[in-house]
Amino acid sequence: ERRPPQKIIEKLSMFCGVSPDAVTLLPNADTVYEVPLILERDGIANFVLSRLGLKPRKANNLVWASLLRRIKKDYQQTVKVGIVAKYLDNDDTYISVVEALKSACWDKGVKLDITWVQSENLKDQITAKKYLRTFDGIVVPGGFGVRGVEGKICAAEYAIRNKVPYLGLCLGLQVAVIAKARMLGLKQANSTEFDKKTKIPVISTLDGQANILETGGTMRLGSYPCVLREGSMARKLYNAPIIHERHRHRYEVNNAYTDQLESGGLNMVGILQDNSLVEMVEHVNHPFFIASQFHPEFQSRPFKPHPLFVGFISALKNKKK
């Protein structure tokens, strides 16, 4: 892991026209977050600054070094998270969600044990129990299309019935709403994304979108302000009355059913500012059941994990004490 001998560096640069100062060794690292420290140790930052005509300054590596110590620490407690998803043939599909979970675990001082659960395997509450009973918490991330969605609905219902901490992201909110509606007796509740003819469209498109669904412009993209209900868990986690989060979805909670959902225990705790669109839901009398229409994982950082992920991991950590 040391810098190569100067003679080797000079020979390498001789055949490629690269300055010897620009050649460095990139050994295998235990974590990608170790790479900046390796590059800094070899002086690459000062070389880049000099080429740009900028004045070098003394680097502060304390933050990175502190993060690396937390990453490599052998924590005594492990939290087991089941991610119920359907795009499981590519490790990068949910990379933002995984990194957000990791950052929250480093912040709370616990190990993370992730198990991927193919949502198509969940058919009912019997199979849900079979696949989910060993987890401290359940995450249902985003996605599109009808394949595997019934399994995600089963996962949300299982979390509600068994008071298992649940974090729903985008589609994870929509399946939670569908699950709760069905539990309240609306057995045919569904999203018009999955059943265009559903008689109880608790999730649907907005007025004016019906004839232009094939165009990307119908999606709600980018950052939007969300007003958090006073006294809600979400408000406590964010410690702010208004937040801004990033979106990437088309279908919304149908406000015709929000009163019925709230009376049944699923509160609409986050509302789009200057509008009535539902952004966040929470279940009452539950250790942690929060779902967002937006993607909080997009704003999570290794040095500043997202409040929703920190809250979720805290619930798992406290559950095991």
Side-chain angles (χ1 to χ4, degrees), residues 3 30 47 59 89 100 105 161 167-168 170 180 190 206 217-218 222 224 237 239 243 257 262 277 298 300 312 318:
R3 185 173 174 81
D30 294 330
F47 173 80
D89 56 350
C105 284
R161 292 189 181 280
L167 180 61
C170 196
K180 186 60 183 181
N190 213 330
L206 299 177
T218 62
Y224 288 83
L237 290 174
N239 192 29
I243 59 172
Y257 298 94
E262 290 232 3
L277 296 179
F298 291 166
S300 185
F312 176 67
N318 294 332

Side-chain angles (χ1 to χ4, degrees), residues 168-180:
L169 311 173
C170 196
L171 180 59
L173 175 142
Q174 296 175 10
V175 297
V177 169
I178 295 171
K180 186 60 183 181

Side-chain angles (χ1 to χ4, degrees), residues 292-312:
S292 65
Q293 184 65 85
F294 48 80
H295 289 268
E297 67 271 23
F298 291 166
Q299 295 202 81
S300 185
R301 300 292 181 266
F303 301 113
K304 190 178 180 180
H306 194 281
L308 292 185
F309 285 88
V310 172
F312 176 67

